[in-house]
Amino acid sequence: MDKNNTNYVSYLHPYQRNFVRQQLDIGGLWLTDDGGRLQFTFYDDSGDFSPTPTNNVQGYYRSPSMSQDEIGKIAGKLSAGNLLIGTWTRSTPQSQSSGRIYLEFYDNGKKFIGKWGNGSEDPQHPYSGHR
């Protein structure tokens, strides 16, 4: 998926392009279906923390497969359709891996479903979670 592609087809509404919903507050703690945790916060356009929801989202994650010195981060933009398009990184003091990710939030902000990809590959690995 091209990160500039605006023709994303929803998992939840596959026959409706540009489906518009009320933007959800996705901030806070999420449990991922791989047994991990993900914490999202919001930032304003200048990169400063925002206590209220904005389109700029950053999250830190921890999965059971990560070592103690690994840090996982997701950063991106949340669209009015509750689709987060961004990048992920997973780093240790010795190495870093990264790629693209997209997550679609639904069920009144209680669940998400999406995919991630390594490097420049199209996102194809499933990733989901709930509150």
Side-chain angles (χ1 to χ4, degrees):
M1 180 175 129
D2 179 354
K3 70 179 180 178
N4 297 319
N5 183 353
T6 58
N7 293 321
Y8 169 77
V9 177
S10 168
Y11 280 115
L12 306 171
H13 306 282
Y15 303 106
Q16 299 179 25
R17 292 193 180 268
N18 303 320
F19 186 76
V20 177
R21 292 170 282 177
Q22 181 180 0
Q23 187 165 340
L24 301 172
D25 178 354
I26 65 164
L29 181 65
W30 293 81
L31 302 176
T32 60
D33 291 344
D34 65 358
R37 295 176 181 268
L38 172 62
Q39 178 85 34
F40 280 121
T41 54
F42 297 98
Y43 291 82
D44 62 23
D45 289 334
S46 62
D48 295 324
F49 171 77
S50 174
T52 59
T54 68
N55 292 4
N56 302 307
V57 180
Q58 183 170 296
Y60 289 92
Y61 66 90
R62 192 112 187 100
S63 68
S65 65
M66 294 172 78
S67 66
Q68 286 295 89
D69 62 348
E70 282 185 285
I71 297 172
K73 181 179 175 182
I74 295 172
K77 292 270 188 189
L78 185 63
S79 72
N82 297 314
L83 176 68
L84 176 69
I85 298 176
T87 58
W88 64 270
T89 57
R90 186 169 168 172
S91 56
T92 68
Q94 298 82 24
S95 67
Q96 178 175 311
S97 55
S98 63
R100 295 181 289 159
I101 191 167
Y102 60 89
L103 304 174
E104 185 173 6
F105 296 86
Y106 65 102
D107 195 12
N108 293 320
K110 295 178 187 162
K111 298 179 182 178
F112 72 83
I113 189 169
K115 293 184 178 185
W116 59 273
N118 280 310
S120 61
E121 79 176 6
D122 285 339
Q124 56 187 315
H125 308 284
Y127 192 56
S128 57
H130 62 279
R131 296 192 202 240

